Amino acid sequence: MRLILLSASLLLAFAAHAAPQQLDRTDDHHSTTAMTEKGLMGQFQQVRQTVADRTSDLVVTAIGFLGVPYRRGGNTAETGFDCSGFVRAMYNQTVGHLLPRRAEEQAAATQKIDRSDLKPGDLVFFKTMKRAFSHVGIYVGEGKFIHAPKPGAEVRVEDMSGSYWQRRFSGARRVAAAQDDLVKVSGD
């Protein structure tokens, strides 16, 4: 949603700037302004595409780990994953952003978003124990998420609308720092 608002704001700013003015301007100034606007718009599109590519890479990478066994405290494919170890490994490997180790710490370190604003790559949290953020997964789109569920199970994709997950949903978060890092890298 923020990306859409940012896009709309930039387009409005460019449109307002490009609107006819009462001031006298030379042709050189007009061509310089047009080139500047095109350059900024090009950079914006590049950053937007980079964020989309990284999010897509994150989901595709996570899907590549389907079937890896659950292991409490696990954080590699070789040893197995627990829920937060899986999320941490996917973000570190794909985006280069190191999240905290525990699910409740990951919730605290990320930006709260509304469930209706979920995008692939966002984090979804559930209350599977007696605390609100005891389980975490990565939203993959269309109401589904990927996670390392429990002992004896493997990394899998599940539907959030299932009664078990629906009753236990405790929040959605966005890893804003990773997107900010992408903007800085793309803006250089």
Side-chain angles (χ1 to χ4, degrees):
M1 186 66 171
R2 277 190 178 169
L3 194 53
I4 293 169
L5 290 174
L6 178 61
S7 300
S9 298
L10 282 174
L11 290 174
L12 286 173
F14 287 138
H17 183 72
Q21 306 268 333
Q22 297 299 327
L23 302 173
D24 290 329
R25 294 185 176 190
T26 64
D27 287 339
D28 288 341
H29 183 71
H30 284 294
S31 62
T32 302
T33 302
M35 289 187 332
T36 301
E37 288 174 357
K38 286 181 183 176
L40 289 174
M41 194 56 136
Q43 286 178 351
F44 173 71
Q45 291 297 336
Q46 181 182 3
V47 168
R48 184 173 159 211
Q49 186 60 48
T50 301
V51 170
D53 290 347
R54 289 286 177 98
T55 300
S56 179
D57 289 348
L58 176 74
V59 171
V60 168
T61 299
I63 296 293
F65 286 90
L66 287 172
V68 171
Y70 178 94
R71 178 169 173 239
R72 182 174 169 82
N75 53 23
T76 68
E78 294 78 26
T79 62
F81 292 111
D82 66 9
C83 66
S84 58
F86 175 68
V87 168
R88 186 175 201 234
M90 294 305 101
Y91 264 90
N92 188 32
Q93 180 177 332
T94 310
V95 181
H97 183 74
L98 191 61
L99 290 169
R101 179 62 182 89
R102 299 176 59 213
E104 60 192 12
E105 295 167 342
Q106 290 175 356
T110 52
Q111 176 187 356
K112 183 179 180 178
I113 59 171
D114 192 80
R115 186 176 185 158
S116 63
D117 291 332
L118 275 169
K119 294 181 182 172
D122 288 339
L123 304 183
V124 289
F125 292 89
F126 302 90
K127 181 180 181 178
T128 57
M129 295 180 186
K130 295 184 185 207
R131 56 187 192 278
F133 302 109
S134 53
H135 188 73
V136 62
I138 299 171
Y139 186 73
V140 297
E142 298 183 14
K144 297 182 178 9
F145 71 106
I146 186 168
H147 66 132
K150 62 184 178 180
E154 302 171 337
V155 171
R156 64 185 181 214
V157 174
E158 296 207 51
D159 194 327
M160 290 174 50
S161 66
S163 63
Y164 179 85
W165 297 112
Q166 206 168 34
R167 284 192 319 270
R168 288 167 176 79
F169 181 78
S170 60
R173 301 284 191 272
R174 183 159 293 145
V175 182
Q179 291 186 354
D180 291 345
D181 291 345
L182 288 173
V183 171
K184 288 176 193 167
V185 169
S186 299
D188 291 344

mmCIF file of all heavy atoms in Angstrom, residues 60-101:
data_model
loop_
_atom_site.group_PDB
_atom_site.id
_atom_site.type_symbol
_atom_site.label_atom_id
_atom_site.label_comp_id
_atom_site.label_asym_id
_atom_site.label_seq_id
_atom_site.Cartn_x
_atom_site.Cartn_y
_atom_site.Cartn_z
ATOM 1 N N VAL A 60 10.247 -17.571 -3.699
ATOM 2 C CA VAL A 60 10.732 -18.697 -4.497
ATOM 3 C C VAL A 60 11.781 -19.489 -3.712
ATOM 4 O O VAL A 60 11.758 -20.727 -3.689
ATOM 5 C CB VAL A 60 11.305 -18.213 -5.854
ATOM 6 C CG1 VAL A 60 12.066 -19.310 -6.567
ATOM 7 C CG2 VAL A 60 10.182 -17.685 -6.730
ATOM 8 N N THR A 61 12.681 -18.786 -3.040
ATOM 9 C CA THR A 61 13.696 -19.459 -2.222
ATOM 10 C C THR A 61 13.035 -20.265 -1.119
ATOM 11 O O THR A 61 13.377 -21.429 -0.887
ATOM 12 C CB THR A 61 14.685 -18.438 -1.622
ATOM 13 O OG1 THR A 61 15.348 -17.763 -2.695
ATOM 14 C CG2 THR A 61 15.717 -19.117 -0.738
ATOM 15 N N ALA A 62 12.066 -19.659 -0.428
ATOM 16 C CA ALA A 62 11.369 -20.348 0.665
ATOM 17 C C ALA A 62 10.677 -21.610 0.149
ATOM 18 O O ALA A 62 10.752 -22.670 0.785
ATOM 19 C CB ALA A 62 10.366 -19.407 1.328
ATOM 20 N N ILE A 63 10.043 -21.518 -0.997
ATOM 21 C CA ILE A 63 9.359 -22.672 -1.593
ATOM 22 C C ILE A 63 10.363 -23.796 -1.873
ATOM 23 O O ILE A 63 10.043 -24.974 -1.755
ATOM 24 C CB ILE A 63 8.618 -22.266 -2.891
ATOM 25 C CG1 ILE A 63 7.510 -21.255 -2.595
ATOM 26 C CG2 ILE A 63 8.092 -23.479 -3.642
ATOM 27 C CD1 ILE A 63 6.356 -21.768 -1.784
ATOM 28 N N GLY A 64 11.594 -23.426 -2.196
ATOM 29 C CA GLY A 64 12.638 -24.419 -2.451
ATOM 30 C C GLY A 64 12.998 -25.256 -1.228
ATOM 31 O O GLY A 64 13.658 -26.280 -1.345
ATOM 32 N N PHE A 65 12.544 -24.839 -0.049
ATOM 33 C CA PHE A 65 12.844 -25.570 1.185
ATOM 34 C C PHE A 65 11.670 -26.419 1.669
ATOM 35 O O PHE A 65 11.703 -26.947 2.780
ATOM 36 C CB PHE A 65 13.296 -24.596 2.279
ATOM 37 C CG PHE A 65 14.691 -24.078 2.039
ATOM 38 C CD1 PHE A 65 14.894 -22.922 1.298
ATOM 39 C CD2 PHE A 65 15.792 -24.760 2.531
ATOM 40 C CE1 PHE A 65 16.171 -22.453 1.060
ATOM 41 C CE2 PHE A 65 17.084 -24.297 2.295
ATOM 42 C CZ PHE A 65 17.266 -23.139 1.554
ATOM 43 N N LEU A 66 10.634 -26.542 0.835
ATOM 44 C CA LEU A 66 9.513 -27.418 1.188
ATOM 45 C C LEU A 66 10.055 -28.815 1.490
ATOM 46 O O LEU A 66 10.919 -29.321 0.771
ATOM 47 C CB LEU A 66 8.501 -27.496 0.045
ATOM 48 C CG LEU A 66 7.640 -26.261 -0.178
ATOM 49 C CD1 LEU A 66 6.830 -26.397 -1.471
ATOM 50 C CD2 LEU A 66 6.717 -26.013 0.998
ATOM 51 N N GLY A 67 9.571 -29.412 2.548
ATOM 52 C CA GLY A 67 9.992 -30.770 2.882
ATOM 53 C C GLY A 67 11.140 -30.868 3.868
ATOM 54 O O GLY A 67 11.444 -31.949 4.367
ATOM 55 N N VAL A 68 11.793 -29.733 4.164
ATOM 56 C CA VAL A 68 12.870 -29.775 5.156
ATOM 57 C C VAL A 68 12.218 -30.028 6.518
ATOM 58 O O VAL A 68 11.239 -29.380 6.875
ATOM 59 C CB VAL A 68 13.678 -28.450 5.168
ATOM 60 C CG1 VAL A 68 14.657 -28.415 6.339
ATOM 61 C CG2 VAL A 68 14.413 -28.263 3.846
ATOM 62 N N PRO A 69 12.755 -30.962 7.284
ATOM 63 C CA PRO A 69 12.113 -31.302 8.563
ATOM 64 C C PRO A 69 12.198 -30.194 9.610
ATOM 65 O O PRO A 69 13.137 -29.408 9.623
ATOM 66 C CB PRO A 69 12.878 -32.540 9.040
ATOM 67 C CG PRO A 69 14.117 -32.598 8.240
ATOM 68 C CD PRO A 69 13.909 -31.789 7.008
ATOM 69 N N TYR A 70 11.184 -30.183 10.481
ATOM 70 C CA TYR A 70 11.167 -29.278 11.623
ATOM 71 C C TYR A 70 12.200 -29.771 12.637
ATOM 72 O O TYR A 70 12.339 -30.964 12.872
ATOM 73 C CB TYR A 70 9.785 -29.269 12.280
ATOM 74 C CG TYR A 70 9.720 -28.387 13.509
ATOM 75 C CD1 TYR A 70 9.289 -27.076 13.395
ATOM 76 C CD2 TYR A 70 10.114 -28.861 14.755
ATOM 77 C CE1 TYR A 70 9.232 -26.252 14.514
ATOM 78 C CE2 TYR A 70 10.068 -28.045 15.877
ATOM 79 C CZ TYR A 70 9.630 -26.742 15.752
ATOM 80 O OH TYR A 70 9.594 -25.928 16.847
ATOM 81 N N ARG A 71 12.901 -28.820 13.226
ATOM 82 C CA ARG A 71 13.793 -29.133 14.340
ATOM 83 C C ARG A 71 13.807 -27.936 15.269
ATOM 84 O O ARG A 71 14.167 -26.828 14.860
ATOM 85 C CB ARG A 71 15.202 -29.427 13.866
ATOM 86 C CG ARG A 71 16.124 -29.710 15.042
ATOM 87 C CD ARG A 71 17.465 -30.256 14.600
ATOM 88 N NE ARG A 71 18.336 -30.336 15.749
ATOM 89 C CZ ARG A 71 19.488 -29.702 15.848
ATOM 90 N NH1 ARG A 71 19.926 -28.989 14.836
ATOM 91 N NH2 ARG A 71 20.215 -29.811 16.924
ATOM 92 N N ARG A 72 13.433 -28.142 16.511
ATOM 93 C CA ARG A 72 13.429 -27.056 17.495
ATOM 94 C C ARG A 72 14.823 -26.447 17.580
ATOM 95 O O ARG A 72 15.803 -27.160 17.753
ATOM 96 C CB ARG A 72 12.988 -27.581 18.857
ATOM 97 C CG ARG A 72 12.906 -26.509 19.909
ATOM 98 C CD ARG A 72 12.310 -27.070 21.202
ATOM 99 N NE ARG A 72 12.443 -26.144 22.292
ATOM 100 C CZ ARG A 72 11.644 -25.129 22.530
ATOM 101 N NH1 ARG A 72 10.632 -24.903 21.724
ATOM 102 N NH2 ARG A 72 11.838 -24.331 23.562
ATOM 103 N N GLY A 73 14.914 -25.123 17.436
ATOM 104 C CA GLY A 73 16.196 -24.432 17.467
ATOM 105 C C GLY A 73 16.965 -24.520 16.164
ATOM 106 O O GLY A 73 18.034 -23.938 16.025
ATOM 107 N N GLY A 74 16.399 -25.206 15.170
ATOM 108 C CA GLY A 74 17.092 -25.388 13.891
ATOM 109 C C GLY A 74 17.046 -24.147 13.026
ATOM 110 O O GLY A 74 16.048 -23.431 12.994
ATOM 111 N N ASN A 75 18.156 -23.903 12.320
ATOM 112 C CA ASN A 75 18.194 -22.726 11.446
ATOM 113 C C ASN A 75 18.921 -22.960 10.135
ATOM 114 O O ASN A 75 19.334 -22.006 9.479
ATOM 115 C CB ASN A 75 18.762 -21.518 12.193
ATOM 116 C CG ASN A 75 20.097 -21.806 12.833
ATOM 117 O OD1 ASN A 75 20.810 -22.697 12.414
ATOM 118 N ND2 ASN A 75 20.436 -21.044 13.862
ATOM 119 N N THR A 76 19.091 -24.228 9.743
ATOM 120 C CA THR A 76 19.672 -24.544 8.437
ATOM 121 C C THR A 76 18.916 -25.712 7.819
ATOM 122 O O THR A 76 18.279 -26.504 8.524
ATOM 123 C CB THR A 76 21.166 -24.936 8.538
ATOM 124 O OG1 THR A 76 21.275 -26.199 9.210
ATOM 125 C CG2 THR A 76 21.994 -23.867 9.239
ATOM 126 N N ALA A 77 19.020 -25.841 6.502
ATOM 127 C CA ALA A 77 18.371 -26.955 5.812
ATOM 128 C C ALA A 77 19.006 -28.282 6.231
ATOM 129 O O ALA A 77 18.331 -29.307 6.286
ATOM 130 C CB ALA A 77 18.474 -26.762 4.305
ATOM 131 N N GLU A 78 20.291 -28.242 6.538
ATOM 132 C CA GLU A 78 20.999 -29.465 6.924
ATOM 133 C C GLU A 78 20.529 -29.988 8.277
ATOM 134 O O GLU A 78 20.426 -31.195 8.477
ATOM 135 C CB GLU A 78 22.512 -29.222 6.966
ATOM 136 C CG GLU A 78 23.141 -28.931 5.617
ATOM 137 C CD GLU A 78 22.912 -27.492 5.133
ATOM 138 O OE1 GLU A 78 22.722 -26.563 5.957
ATOM 139 O OE2 GLU A 78 22.889 -27.301 3.908
ATOM 140 N N THR A 79 20.267 -29.089 9.217
ATOM 141 C CA THR A 79 19.864 -29.513 10.557
ATOM 142 C C THR A 79 18.357 -29.481 10.734
ATOM 143 O O THR A 79 17.840 -30.056 11.683
ATOM 144 C CB THR A 79 20.496 -28.596 11.635
ATOM 145 O OG1 THR A 79 20.032 -27.254 11.442
ATOM 146 C CG2 THR A 79 22.008 -28.632 11.573
ATOM 147 N N GLY A 80 17.647 -28.811 9.858
ATOM 148 C CA GLY A 80 16.208 -28.610 9.992
ATOM 149 C C GLY A 80 15.922 -27.212 10.511
ATOM 150 O O GLY A 80 16.838 -26.497 10.933
ATOM 151 N N PHE A 81 14.674 -26.819 10.444
ATOM 152 C CA PHE A 81 14.264 -25.475 10.858
ATOM 153 C C PHE A 81 13.162 -25.529 11.904
ATOM 154 O O PHE A 81 12.300 -26.392 11.847
ATOM 155 C CB PHE A 81 13.671 -24.701 9.675
ATOM 156 C CG PHE A 81 14.623 -24.330 8.594
ATOM 157 C CD1 PHE A 81 14.546 -24.928 7.345
ATOM 158 C CD2 PHE A 81 15.590 -23.352 8.795
ATOM 159 C CE1 PHE A 81 15.403 -24.560 6.320
ATOM 160 C CE2 PHE A 81 16.456 -22.981 7.778
ATOM 161 C CZ PHE A 81 16.363 -23.590 6.534
ATOM 162 N N ASP A 82 13.167 -24.542 12.806
ATOM 163 C CA ASP A 82 11.951 -24.230 13.529
ATOM 164 C C ASP A 82 11.374 -23.007 12.816
ATOM 165 O O ASP A 82 11.957 -22.509 11.850
ATOM 166 C CB ASP A 82 12.181 -24.034 15.035
ATOM 167 C CG ASP A 82 13.026 -22.829 15.401
ATOM 168 O OD1 ASP A 82 13.340 -21.992 14.519
ATOM 169 O OD2 ASP A 82 13.374 -22.709 16.590
ATOM 170 N N CYS A 83 10.222 -22.517 13.261
ATOM 171 C CA CYS A 83 9.547 -21.464 12.497
ATOM 172 C C CYS A 83 10.380 -20.200 12.344
ATOM 173 O O CYS A 83 10.551 -19.680 11.240
ATOM 174 C CB CYS A 83 8.178 -21.154 13.090
ATOM 175 S SG CYS A 83 8.195 -20.425 14.742
ATOM 176 N N SER A 84 10.912 -19.699 13.447
ATOM 177 C CA SER A 84 11.664 -18.442 13.374
ATOM 178 C C SER A 84 13.025 -18.639 12.719
ATOM 179 O O SER A 84 13.529 -17.741 12.038
ATOM 180 C CB SER A 84 11.816 -17.823 14.765
ATOM 181 O OG SER A 84 12.471 -18.724 15.632
ATOM 182 N N GLY A 85 13.617 -19.806 12.892
ATOM 183 C CA GLY A 85 14.882 -20.110 12.221
ATOM 184 C C GLY A 85 14.716 -20.144 10.714
ATOM 185 O O GLY A 85 15.571 -19.685 9.964
ATOM 186 N N PHE A 86 13.581 -20.661 10.261
ATOM 187 C CA PHE A 86 13.269 -20.696 8.836
ATOM 188 C C PHE A 86 13.131 -19.283 8.274
ATOM 189 O O PHE A 86 13.755 -18.934 7.266
ATOM 190 C CB PHE A 86 11.984 -21.499 8.601
ATOM 191 C CG PHE A 86 11.512 -21.505 7.175
ATOM 192 C CD1 PHE A 86 12.235 -22.160 6.191
ATOM 193 C CD2 PHE A 86 10.348 -20.849 6.808
ATOM 194 C CE1 PHE A 86 11.807 -22.165 4.871
ATOM 195 C CE2 PHE A 86 9.906 -20.847 5.503
ATOM 196 C CZ PHE A 86 10.636 -21.510 4.527
ATOM 197 N N VAL A 87 12.328 -18.456 8.936
ATOM 198 C CA VAL A 87 12.113 -17.075 8.483
ATOM 199 C C VAL A 87 13.438 -16.322 8.468
ATOM 200 O O VAL A 87 13.775 -15.635 7.496
ATOM 201 C CB VAL A 87 11.068 -16.368 9.378
ATOM 202 C CG1 VAL A 87 11.055 -14.865 9.123
ATOM 203 C CG2 VAL A 87 9.687 -16.967 9.146
ATOM 204 N N ARG A 88 14.202 -16.465 9.532
ATOM 205 C CA ARG A 88 15.492 -15.772 9.642
ATOM 206 C C ARG A 88 16.434 -16.188 8.512
ATOM 207 O O ARG A 88 17.071 -15.350 7.873
ATOM 208 C CB ARG A 88 16.113 -16.087 10.998
ATOM 209 C CG ARG A 88 17.369 -15.328 11.288
ATOM 210 C CD ARG A 88 17.830 -15.642 12.705
ATOM 211 N NE ARG A 88 18.703 -14.607 13.198
ATOM 212 C CZ ARG A 88 19.902 -14.845 13.681
ATOM 213 N NH1 ARG A 88 20.360 -16.077 13.772
ATOM 214 N NH2 ARG A 88 20.645 -13.847 14.120
ATOM 215 N N ALA A 89 16.514 -17.487 8.246
ATOM 216 C CA ALA A 89 17.398 -17.990 7.192
ATOM 217 C C ALA A 89 16.970 -17.489 5.813
ATOM 218 O O ALA A 89 17.816 -17.111 4.995
ATOM 219 C CB ALA A 89 17.427 -19.514 7.220
ATOM 220 N N MET A 90 15.662 -17.449 5.550
ATOM 221 C CA MET A 90 15.186 -17.005 4.235
ATOM 222 C C MET A 90 15.521 -15.529 4.008
ATOM 223 O O MET A 90 15.977 -15.143 2.931
ATOM 224 C CB MET A 90 13.676 -17.234 4.088
ATOM 225 C CG MET A 90 13.250 -18.704 4.088
ATOM 226 S SD MET A 90 14.072 -19.740 2.869
ATOM 227 C CE MET A 90 15.308 -20.570 3.862
ATOM 228 N N TYR A 91 15.296 -14.703 5.015
ATOM 229 C CA TYR A 91 15.607 -13.275 4.871
ATOM 230 C C TYR A 91 17.103 -13.037 4.764
ATOM 231 O O TYR A 91 17.552 -12.209 3.977
ATOM 232 C CB TYR A 91 14.990 -12.460 6.016
ATOM 233 C CG TYR A 91 13.673 -11.871 5.610
ATOM 234 C CD1 TYR A 91 12.493 -12.580 5.809
ATOM 235 C CD2 TYR A 91 13.596 -10.639 4.977
ATOM 236 C CE1 TYR A 91 11.278 -12.064 5.403
ATOM 237 C CE2 TYR A 91 12.391 -10.116 4.568
ATOM 238 C CZ TYR A 91 11.236 -10.838 4.782
ATOM 239 O OH TYR A 91 10.041 -10.320 4.356
ATOM 240 N N ASN A 92 17.881 -13.753 5.535
ATOM 241 C CA ASN A 92 19.332 -13.572 5.484
ATOM 242 C C ASN A 92 19.880 -14.027 4.134
ATOM 243 O O ASN A 92 20.672 -13.329 3.504
ATOM 244 C CB ASN A 92 20.005 -14.333 6.632
ATOM 245 C CG ASN A 92 21.468 -14.019 6.738
ATOM 246 O OD1 ASN A 92 21.916 -12.912 6.438
ATOM 247 N ND2 ASN A 92 22.243 -14.994 7.172
ATOM 248 N N GLN A 93 19.441 -15.178 3.675
ATOM 249 C CA GLN A 93 19.948 -15.749 2.430
ATOM 250 C C GLN A 93 19.509 -14.966 1.201
ATOM 251 O O GLN A 93 20.282 -14.779 0.272
ATOM 252 C CB GLN A 93 19.477 -17.200 2.318
ATOM 253 C CG GLN A 93 19.944 -17.903 1.066
ATOM 254 C CD GLN A 93 19.508 -19.361 1.062
ATOM 255 O OE1 GLN A 93 19.336 -19.978 2.095
ATOM 256 N NE2 GLN A 93 19.330 -19.905 -0.125
ATOM 257 N N THR A 94 18.268 -14.500 1.182
ATOM 258 C CA THR A 94 17.721 -13.866 -0.012
ATOM 259 C C THR A 94 17.896 -12.355 -0.040
ATOM 260 O O THR A 94 18.256 -11.785 -1.056
ATOM 261 C CB THR A 94 16.224 -14.201 -0.150
ATOM 262 O OG1 THR A 94 16.057 -15.604 -0.024
ATOM 263 C CG2 THR A 94 15.699 -13.760 -1.487
ATOM 264 N N VAL A 95 17.612 -11.707 1.078
ATOM 265 C CA VAL A 95 17.630 -10.245 1.131
ATOM 266 C C VAL A 95 18.907 -9.724 1.790
ATOM 267 O O VAL A 95 19.278 -8.576 1.619
ATOM 268 C CB VAL A 95 16.372 -9.724 1.874
ATOM 269 C CG1 VAL A 95 16.334 -8.214 1.927
ATOM 270 C CG2 VAL A 95 15.111 -10.254 1.213
ATOM 271 N N GLY A 96 19.574 -10.583 2.558
ATOM 272 C CA GLY A 96 20.775 -10.148 3.254
ATOM 273 C C GLY A 96 20.465 -9.383 4.525
ATOM 274 O O GLY A 96 21.296 -8.631 5.028
ATOM 275 N N HIS A 97 19.274 -9.568 5.042
ATOM 276 C CA HIS A 97 18.850 -8.877 6.264
ATOM 277 C C HIS A 97 18.730 -9.914 7.374
ATOM 278 O O HIS A 97 17.996 -10.890 7.230
ATOM 279 C CB HIS A 97 17.513 -8.178 6.032
ATOM 280 C CG HIS A 97 17.044 -7.384 7.198
ATOM 281 N ND1 HIS A 97 17.612 -6.177 7.543
ATOM 282 C CD2 HIS A 97 16.084 -7.619 8.109
ATOM 283 C CE1 HIS A 97 17.009 -5.717 8.620
ATOM 284 N NE2 HIS A 97 16.079 -6.576 8.991
ATOM 285 N N LEU A 98 19.440 -9.702 8.467
ATOM 286 C CA LEU A 98 19.423 -10.654 9.567
ATOM 287 C C LEU A 98 18.375 -10.247 10.601
ATOM 288 O O LEU A 98 18.511 -9.234 11.274
ATOM 289 C CB LEU A 98 20.809 -10.739 10.218
ATOM 290 C CG LEU A 98 21.009 -11.882 11.200
ATOM 291 C CD1 LEU A 98 20.821 -13.231 10.501
ATOM 292 C CD2 LEU A 98 22.414 -11.814 11.791
ATOM 293 N N LEU A 99 17.334 -11.045 10.695
ATOM 294 C CA LEU A 99 16.272 -10.828 11.674
ATOM 295 C C LEU A 99 16.678 -11.431 13.016
ATOM 296 O O LEU A 99 17.524 -12.324 13.062
ATOM 297 C CB LEU A 99 14.981 -11.505 11.200
ATOM 298 C CG LEU A 99 14.287 -10.880 9.998
ATOM 299 C CD1 LEU A 99 13.182 -11.799 9.483
ATOM 300 C CD2 LEU A 99 13.718 -9.525 10.359
ATOM 301 N N PRO A 100 16.050 -10.994 14.106
ATOM 302 C CA PRO A 100 16.304 -11.632 15.399
ATOM 303 C C PRO A 100 15.945 -13.120 15.344
ATOM 304 O O PRO A 100 15.248 -13.569 14.431
ATOM 305 C CB PRO A 100 15.379 -10.887 16.358
ATOM 306 C CG PRO A 100 15.070 -9.602 15.692
ATOM 307 C CD PRO A 100 15.113 -9.880 14.215
ATOM 308 N N ARG A 101 16.358 -13.874 16.333
ATOM 309 C CA ARG A 101 16.192 -15.328 16.302
ATOM 310 C C ARG A 101 14.786 -15.814 16.657
ATOM 311 O O ARG A 101 14.279 -16.732 16.049
ATOM 312 C CB ARG A 101 17.225 -15.978 17.238
ATOM 313 C CG ARG A 101 17.136 -17.492 17.319
ATOM 314 C CD ARG A 101 17.416 -18.101 15.947
ATOM 315 N NE ARG A 101 17.313 -19.532 15.952
ATOM 316 C CZ ARG A 101 16.187 -20.208 15.719
ATOM 317 N NH1 ARG A 101 15.052 -19.577 15.492
ATOM 318 N NH2 ARG A 101 16.190 -21.516 15.714
#
